[in-house]
């Protein structure tokens, strides 16, 4: 059989009260240690458990961390033969002095309380104290979106004593840069955490004086792949889709107009969707430059067809006037050209001109590709030269699809050049 020995009950030795051991009631803990003397040094270290979220709309971040304070309070010293520390929970914290550290620019924060308050107090025999708590804090982060979404953001969590100036309490990082530790599993969906580091400086308030302030700085770089898929790639496809109209017949008005309107409305939807998830800043973002330039390209493709359609209509109107004023036969040599009127039958006219019906049909199919020759039996040589020059110019105007040919080269070339400049500047 095993013989079990009873553990030594310290609470019985000290009359059943831990406060008796720490002499809590023998001192006034509303005042800091060494009250009236030099500033008490309070070391701080932080372990970041998680970086929960980054909000561009609210310009803040949420972080869960373990905040630990180290200081010496001789009023809490106690005799010990083993030199072992004693550990307590949050109930003792309300009865002793602890640093009044708060988070500057904090919007919301709380100490976790499941299943009990996540607070630990460890007291050493010589009076050194370790005070640890688990906190989730949401703090402000001033972000610059001028390079969004190709941006990097630097945010800071700031700690400072609320009541005690630097003459009463000196906050410092206990182990320098080693005072800040992070969990290796910390990750964010939209950001890559590049660096965590600590700094400290003095903060001045005109009404109360100088205070020690500690900073937890971290730099985040945004993942671009999400925005490539959701913003840049669709916008580029819409611009390329608007170029399809350059290959569509200029007489297909419904096809080209509907294509242009569709691409314009789609670009407007993309721009609206991007801005809906962003704060209403008063400066231009990098994504705005890309989207609005793409929108201009789409809009110009619509205007290009408007110009083509207008010139085509004007050219056809001039052709009709010329045909009414100077009836002509196209593609017939001058030696065989003759005036036709209603006294001749169609077969007689064709035989007289030296052409059959089939030859005339073939000549009509080639009408748009040939220079129109006007041969009038009663024209002089000077008037014949002026008519030839006029119809050469008419042929150039008639060939308005040359605008489409130039657009097929100018639009893609300009857009590619813009992309080269854009990605070289912002990447």
């Amino acid at each position: 059989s095993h013989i079990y020995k009873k553990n030594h009950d310290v609470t019985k030795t000290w009359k059943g009260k831990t406060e008796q051991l720490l002499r809590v009631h023998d001192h006034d803990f509303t005042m800091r240690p060494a009250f009236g003397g030099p500033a008490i040094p309070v070391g701080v270290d932080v372990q970041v458990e998680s970086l929960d979220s980054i909000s561009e709309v609210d310009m803040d971040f949420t972080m869960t961390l373990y905040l630990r304070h180290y200081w010496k309070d001789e009023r809490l010293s106690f005799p010990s033969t083993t030199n072992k520390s004693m550990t307590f929970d949050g109930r003792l914290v309300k009865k002793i002095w602890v640093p009044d550290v708060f988070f500057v620019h904090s919007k919301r924060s709380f100490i976790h309380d499941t299943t009990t308050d996540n607070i630990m107090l460890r007291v050493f025999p010589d009076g050194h104290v370790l005070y640890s708590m688990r906190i989730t804090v949401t703090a402000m982060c001033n972000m610059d979106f001028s390079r969004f979404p190709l941006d990097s953001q630097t945010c800071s969590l700031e700690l400072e004593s609320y009541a005690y100036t630097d003459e009463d309490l000196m906050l410092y990082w206990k182990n320098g840069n080693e005072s800040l530790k992070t969990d290796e599993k910390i990750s964010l969906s939209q950001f890559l955490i590049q660096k965590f580091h600590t700094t400290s400086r003095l903060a001045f308030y005109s009404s109360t004086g100088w205070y020690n302030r500690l900073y937890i700085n971290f730099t985040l770089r945004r993942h671009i792949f999400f925005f490539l898929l959701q913003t840049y790639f669709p916008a580029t496809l819409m611009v390329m889709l608007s170029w399809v109209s350059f290959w569509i017949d200029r007489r297909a008005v419904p096809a080209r107009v509907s294509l242009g309107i569709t691409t314009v409305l789609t670009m407007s939807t993309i721009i609206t969707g991007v801005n809906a998830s962003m704060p209403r800043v008063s400066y231009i973002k990098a994504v705005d430059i890309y989207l609005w330039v793409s929108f201009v390209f789409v809009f110009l493709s619509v205007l290009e067809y408007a110009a083509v359609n207008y010139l085509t209509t004007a050219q056809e109107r001039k052709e009709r006037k010329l045909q009414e004023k100077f009836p002509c036969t196209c593609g017939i040599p001058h030696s065989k050209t003759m005036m036709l009127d209603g006294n001749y039958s169609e077969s007689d006219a064709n035989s007289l001109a030296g052409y059959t019906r089939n030859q005339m049909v073939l000549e009509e199919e080639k009408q748009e590709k040939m220079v129109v020759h006007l041969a009038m039996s009663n024209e002089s040589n000077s008037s014949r030269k002026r008519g030839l020059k006029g119809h050469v110019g008419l042929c150039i105007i008639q060939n308005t699809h040359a605008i489409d040919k130039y657009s097929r080269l100018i639009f893609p070339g300009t857009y590619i050049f813009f992309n080269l400049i854009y990605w070289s500047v912002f990447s």
Side-chain angles (χ1 to χ4, degrees):
S1 62
H2 297 280
I3 301 175
Y4 294 96
K5 295 182 179 180
K6 294 182 178 180
N7 293 328
H8 184 65
D9 192 347
V10 178
T11 58
K12 288 184 178 180
T13 305
W14 293 96
K15 301 179 182 180
K17 294 183 179 180
T18 306
E19 293 87 345
Q20 298 273 344
L21 174 64
L22 298 178
R23 303 194 305 274
V24 172
H25 296 295
D26 294 344
H27 304 278
D28 185 3
F29 282 96
T30 58
M31 294 183 289
R32 67 172 179 86
F35 183 80
I40 174 175
V42 177
V44 176
D45 70 32
V46 171
Q47 180 173 344
V48 179
E49 180 182 8
S50 64
L51 194 57
D52 301 323
S53 64
I54 306 289
S55 175
E56 290 89 355
V57 177
D58 298 327
M59 285 195 180
D60 60 25
F61 65 93
T62 302
M63 177 186 294
T64 300
L65 52 88
Y66 296 95
L67 178 62
R68 304 184 184 98
H69 304 80
Y70 303 84
W71 75 93
K72 184 177 182 180
D73 191 345
E74 295 182 353
R75 296 172 296 184
L76 297 176
S77 61
F78 60 91
S80 175
T81 56
T82 59
N83 200 30
K84 290 184 178 180
S85 62
M86 293 189 300
T87 302
F88 307 95
D89 58 17
R91 286 171 286 190
L92 184 61
V93 173
K94 300 177 182 179
K95 300 179 181 180
I96 65 173
W97 181 89
V98 294
D100 60 337
V101 174
F102 79 106
F103 296 101
V104 185
H105 306 309
S106 171
K107 295 182 177 180
R108 297 173 299 276
S109 61
F110 62 91
I111 299 174
H112 290 259
D113 56 1
T114 306
T115 56
T116 59
D117 292 341
N118 295 175
I119 295 176
M120 184 268 288
L121 190 71
R122 183 171 294 169
V123 182
F124 294 85
D126 60 353
H128 279 89
V129 181
L130 165 61
Y131 175 43
S132 176
M133 66 189 84
R134 182 168 175 255
I135 303 175
T136 293
V137 56
T138 300
M140 183 179 64
C141 178
N142 292 322
M143 301 182 185
D144 182 12
F145 297 107
S146 58
R147 298 176 65 89
F148 176 88
L150 305 168
D151 58 334
S152 296
Q153 303 293 343
T154 299
C155 299
S156 299
L157 184 62
E158 305 171 15
L159 296 86
E160 183 181 303
S161 172
Y162 192 85
Y164 298 102
T165 64
D166 61 338
E167 297 179 354
D168 292 316
L169 190 146
M170 183 181 67
L171 277 180
Y172 68 97
W173 290 111
K174 189 174 185 298
N175 299 311
N177 287 331
E178 299 297 325
S179 301
L180 178 61
K181 297 180 180 180
T182 59
D183 194 332
E184 296 179 355
K185 298 180 181 179
I186 293 180
S187 63
L188 292 169
S189 59
Q190 290 192 27
F191 291 92
L192 172 65
I193 302 176
Q194 290 186 318
K195 183 174 62 173
F196 270 98
H197 66 281
T198 61
T199 55
S200 61
R201 66 187 66 173
L202 289 174
F204 177 73
Y205 297 90
S206 58
S207 301
T208 53
W210 294 89
Y211 294 81
N212 293 112
R213 182 177 295 182
L214 306 181
Y215 295 82
I216 302 173
N217 304 308
F218 55 95
T219 303
L220 306 172
R221 183 170 182 81
R222 197 182 305 273
H223 293 299
I224 186 60
F225 189 70
F226 170 82
F227 295 95
L228 287 177
L229 291 180
Q230 299 295 324
T231 303
Y232 287 96
F233 189 61
T236 303
L237 286 182
M238 287 301 104
V239 175
M240 296 174 65
L241 183 62
S242 68
W243 300 339
V244 174
S245 65
F246 303 151
W247 277 266
I248 300 177
D249 190 345
R250 65 181 184 274
R251 290 181 292 271
V253 178
R256 295 189 66 163
V257 171
S258 60
L259 180 61
I261 293 176
T262 300
T263 52
V264 168
L265 293 178
T266 304
M267 283 301 304
S268 301
T269 303
I270 294 175
I271 294 173
T272 303
V274 172
N275 291 329
S277 60
M278 295 296 298
R280 294 180 176 87
V281 294
S282 58
Y283 49 84
I284 298 176
K285 304 181 290 293
V287 68
D288 293 334
I289 296 176
Y290 193 90
L291 291 179
W292 280 103
V293 170
S294 299
F295 183 85
V296 169
F297 271 89
V298 172
F299 186 73
L300 288 178
S301 68
V302 178
L303 294 183
E304 185 270 349
Y305 177 64
V308 169
N309 185 267
Y310 174 78
L311 293 177
T312 301
T313 305
Q315 174 264 328
E316 290 177 350
R317 188 182 301 113
K318 290 181 180 179
E319 278 188 350
R320 285 194 298 269
K321 290 182 179 179
L322 288 174
Q323 288 175 0
E324 293 174 358
K325 187 175 183 180
F326 303 107
C328 66
T329 58
C330 300
I332 304 177
H334 176 68
S335 59
K336 294 186 177 182
T337 302
M338 60 184 301
M339 297 296 292
L340 302 179
D341 57 19
N343 297 326
Y344 293 90
S345 64
E346 184 177 6
S347 59
D348 294 336
N350 289 336
S351 62
L352 288 172
Y355 278 77
T356 63
R357 177 185 294 272
N358 294 333
Q359 289 174 326
M360 291 298 292
V361 171
L362 291 174
E363 292 298 330
E364 289 175 0
E365 291 176 354
K366 298 178 180 178
Q367 182 176 359
E368 290 187 0
K369 300 181 180 178
M370 300 178 63
V371 179
V372 179
H373 298 277
L374 298 177
M376 304 298 297
S377 58
N378 56 350
E379 262 189 342
S380 64
N381 292 333
S382 59
S383 63
R384 190 176 305 166
K385 290 180 181 179
R386 289 195 300 269
L388 180 60
K389 291 181 181 179
H391 285 287
V392 170
L394 179 61
C395 181
I396 296 175
I397 296 176
Q398 179 184 4
N399 194 21
T400 51
H401 65 273
I403 298 178
D404 285 338
K405 289 182 178 180
Y406 293 136
S407 299
R408 294 170 191 173
L409 298 176
I410 295 174
F411 274 71
T414 307
Y415 194 68
I416 291 172
F417 180 70
F418 161 71
N419 273 270
L420 291 176
I421 295 177
Y422 180 87
W423 293 108
S424 62
V425 170
F426 290 102
S427 61

